[in-house]
Amino acid sequence: MASTRNTLSGATPTPLETGPPTKRHSVLVSGAHTVLTNIFQVFGVFVTTALLARRLGPAGKGVYDVYLSASMLLSSLLGFSLNSGISYSVSSTRVNVGKVLRAIWGIVIAVALLGGCVCFAFQYLPSSRLLIPVELGKLGILLVVVSVASLTLAALWRAVVVGQRHFLQANFGDIAKQVAMVIALVVLLRLVARTHLVIWAIGCNIIAICTAAAMYRRAVDWHEDDPTAGAGMRRAARFSVPSHLANISQFLNARMDVFFVYHFWGASSVGLYQVGVMVAQAVNMIPQATQAVLFPTISARPSAHEESALMIARANRMLLAFGFVGGLFIAAIAPFAIPLVLGPKFRPSTLALLLLLPGCVTLIATNVTAAYFAGIGRPDLNFRSSMFGLFATVVLDIALIPHWNFYGASIASSVSYAVTTIVQVVLFKRETALSLRAILVPTLKDLSDAKQLVSVFAARFRAA
């Protein structure tokens, strides 16, 4: 592991400091490990949600959800999606790792300062309730700013590791975050007074993010360092700008309704709604894991667009089939599982979940094909589809949420996801000249490939 002094100075670490080079695994093994990691994360999110719901109730959990959405929004908005740009730059060219890490610290400081200014300015707007939960008082700004800085740091350090295509090491950081969150919640929520539970829950989240950030930083492979190269930040920025527009619009598609529900109906409605969102979006955890592996893999093979398109289409067909089956399973057990696990107060979350599921299943195709557009350096195409979805979100949120509460938000999100996916698939078809059947309909060979993947997953699970 490189010392802090050498990291900050940009000096090349010695072999003693770095240890042996990190092994790079195949796409199949990396994909299997990443999928298993995301399955573990789904379980971790369920445990975390259950702990928060049981201890905080709908209102307290709603405050926590608004804080988390505000922190993620500011981190995404002010970070200019440089995490995806850094992954692209590191995976497609040689860089000076020391310079990259120094640049990351500068970005984090700038994002934290800008985030503080935005939060402070919002306190003087009539719609301040849209961003910082009023229940947190003056402490809310500090908590959000610290979270924004932590999220940005973790995302950028992880981007370096993913850009080096050391997916397993990045996955270990993801796992560490979930483990740290659960441990911190179990310990702290039992020790503090009920009046301070939300504050301590936020503290647990910050601890978990910092734990993951430390794991990502440790996983950076210094043997891929090129002391004669630059940080590659200009290349990263050129990629990030169009990516940023797409990422922000996608984030708003997924999170804007949280702020609308909070503004019109309060924290309890947010807490109930976000339970439905969390369960419904579980069908996209494996597609998101696949995207995380495919994006840097495709960007590292700039001349193999046709082969990459076929790989994306095959992955999309299989994952849509799995998602459809998984959606049916979730719809069948959720009406019984949600009240049983989270408590009877969260029974209204079930209808929100059922309304969201169709859109979440269709969103699988967007997540998978987005890796192709980003990998070939065309994130502007992702932006186009996300803008159609964002337009649908804004119109439907304004029309439905004031009258139908979070049920209106569920309908708006489901329709928005469907619109985004339709545009995304049309763009992918146009760019690759593949038929809709080749993109969407599973084949017998897909079933054979799925069996192989299941065998790999089982082998990785037994070896874990």
Side-chain angles (χ1 to χ4, degrees), residues 154 157 172-174 176-177 180 207-217:
W157 277 348
F172 290 139
D174 298 341
K177 177 182 176 181
I207 290 171
I209 296 169
C210 291
T211 300
M215 293 289 290
Y216 301 142
R217 170 62 182 80

Side-chain angles (χ1 to χ4, degrees), residues 126-200:
S127 58
S128 60
R129 185 183 173 93
L130 279 174
L131 187 63
I132 307 296
V134 295
E135 292 85 350
L136 296 178
K138 295 182 178 179
L139 188 60
I141 293 179
L142 177 62
L143 292 172
V144 169
V145 170
V146 172
S147 297
V148 167
S150 303
L151 285 167
T152 304
L153 183 64
L156 295 180
W157 277 348
R158 190 183 193 282
V160 176
V161 179
V162 170
Q164 293 176 335
R165 285 174 285 152
H166 298 311
F167 304 111
L168 273 62
Q169 287 70 30
N171 292 340
F172 290 139
D174 298 341
I175 292 172
K177 177 182 176 181
Q178 292 298 329
V179 172
M181 183 66 177
V182 171
I183 292 174
L185 282 175
V186 169
V187 173
L188 293 178
L189 293 184
R190 291 183 176 275
L191 298 179
V192 299
R194 179 169 291 275
T195 54
H196 301 114
L197 283 179
V198 177
I199 301 298
W200 281 110

Side-chain angles (χ1 to χ4, degrees), residues 259-331:
F259 301 108
F260 275 98
V261 172
Y262 180 62
H263 179 73
F264 287 107
W265 295 95
S268 293
S269 292
V270 173
L272 293 170
Y273 175 55
Q274 283 299 97
V275 167
V277 171
M278 180 268 297
V279 179
Q281 289 184 344
V283 298
N284 269 283
M285 292 299 289
I286 293 178
Q288 287 168 355
T290 304
Q291 181 194 83
V293 174
L294 291 176
F295 160 49
T297 302
I298 293 172
S299 66
R301 303 187 303 175
S303 60
H305 287 182
E306 183 176 353
E307 180 183 346
S308 297
L310 293 173
M311 178 173 60
I312 289 289
R314 183 167 62 251
N316 187 62
R317 294 193 302 267
M318 287 192 294
L319 291 172
L320 275 174
F322 288 148
F324 180 76
V325 174
L328 292 177
F329 176 76
I330 290 173

Side-chain angles (χ1 to χ4, degrees), residues 429-446:
K429 178 179 182 297
R430 189 189 68 183
E431 289 296 315
T432 62
L434 294 173
S435 66
L436 287 177
R437 182 182 181 86
I439 299 170
L440 301 175
V441 181
T443 65
L444 292 177
K445 187 176 185 306
D446 294 335

Side-chain angles (χ1 to χ4, degrees), residues 34-385:
T34 302
V35 168
L36 287 174
T37 298
N38 275 33
I39 292 174
F40 178 86
Q41 287 193 87
V42 169
F43 177 75
V45 170
F46 285 156
V47 173
T48 299
T49 300
L51 289 170
L52 290 172
R54 287 283 186 179
R55 294 287 286 166
L56 303 181
K61 185 181 179 302
V63 172
Y64 176 86
D65 289 334
V66 175
Y67 139 80
L68 189 60
S69 295
S71 301
M72 294 173 65
L73 173 61
L74 289 175
S75 177
S76 300
L77 181 64
L78 302 177
F80 288 95
S81 299
L82 282 171
N83 57 322
S84 60
I86 288 174
S87 288
Y88 179 75
S89 178
V90 172
S91 66
S92 58
T93 188
R94 300 287 293 180
V95 297
N96 185 313
V97 177
K99 290 182 179 179
V100 173
L101 296 185
R102 285 206 309 274
I104 285 175
W105 278 112
I107 294 167
V108 170
I109 293 172
V111 168
L113 292 174
L114 287 172
C117 293
V118 171
C119 290
F120 185 77
F122 254 81
Q123 301 307 298
Y124 294 94
L125 296 177
S127 58
S128 60
R129 185 183 173 93
L130 279 174
L131 187 63
I132 307 296
V134 295
E135 292 85 350
L136 296 178
K138 295 182 178 179
L139 188 60
I141 293 179
L142 177 62
L143 292 172
V144 169
V145 170
V146 172
S147 297
V148 167
S150 303
L151 285 167
T152 304
L153 183 64
L156 295 180
W157 277 348
R158 190 183 193 282
V160 176
V161 179
V162 170
Q164 293 176 335
R165 285 174 285 152
H166 298 311
F167 304 111
L168 273 62
Q169 287 70 30
N171 292 340
F172 290 139
D174 298 341
I175 292 172
K177 177 182 176 181
Q178 292 298 329
V179 172
M181 183 66 177
V182 171
I183 292 174
L185 282 175
V186 169
V187 173
L188 293 178
L189 293 184
R190 291 183 176 275
L191 298 179
V192 299
R194 179 169 291 275
T195 54
H196 301 114
L197 283 179
V198 177
I199 301 298
W200 281 110
I202 291 172
C204 292
N205 183 60
I206 294 172
I207 290 171
I209 296 169
C210 291
T211 300
M215 293 289 290
Y216 301 142
R217 170 62 182 80
R218 185 175 183 179
V220 173
D221 189 352
W222 287 88
H223 287 84
E224 297 195 14
D225 183 33
D226 185 352
T228 64
M233 296 308 296
R234 290 185 179 179
R235 181 182 181 87
R238 286 196 297 269
F239 180 90
S240 294
V241 171
S243 293
H244 184 57
L245 297 175
N247 291 341
I248 289 299
S249 58
Q250 289 168 1
F251 181 89
L252 292 175
N253 280 346
R255 294 277 182 166
M256 178 184 292
D257 45 12
V258 170
F259 301 108
F260 275 98
V261 172
Y262 180 62
H263 179 73
F264 287 107
W265 295 95
S268 293
S269 292
V270 173
L272 293 170
Y273 175 55
Q274 283 299 97
V275 167
V277 171
M278 180 268 297
V279 179
Q281 289 184 344
V283 298
N284 269 283
M285 292 299 289
I286 293 178
Q288 287 168 355
T290 304
Q291 181 194 83
V293 174
L294 291 176
F295 160 49
T297 302
I298 293 172
S299 66
R301 303 187 303 175
S303 60
H305 287 182
E306 183 176 353
E307 180 183 346
S308 297
L310 293 173
M311 178 173 60
I312 289 289
R314 183 167 62 251
N316 187 62
R317 294 193 302 267
M318 287 192 294
L319 291 172
L320 275 174
F322 288 148
F324 180 76
V325 174
L328 292 177
F329 176 76
I330 290 173
I333 68 168
F336 309 99
I338 288 178
L340 178 65
V341 176
L342 305 184
K345 291 182 180 179
F346 286 89
R347 194 179 301 275
S349 301
T350 302
L351 180 55
L353 159 68
L354 297 176
L355 293 171
L356 277 164
L357 263 178
C360 288
V361 172
T362 63
L363 194 63
I364 291 172
T366 294
N367 284 321
V368 177
T369 56
Y372 177 78
F373 292 145
I376 65 172
R378 293 294 309 276
D380 57 294
L381 296 178
N382 290 329
F383 172 64
R384 294 184 193 179
S385 61

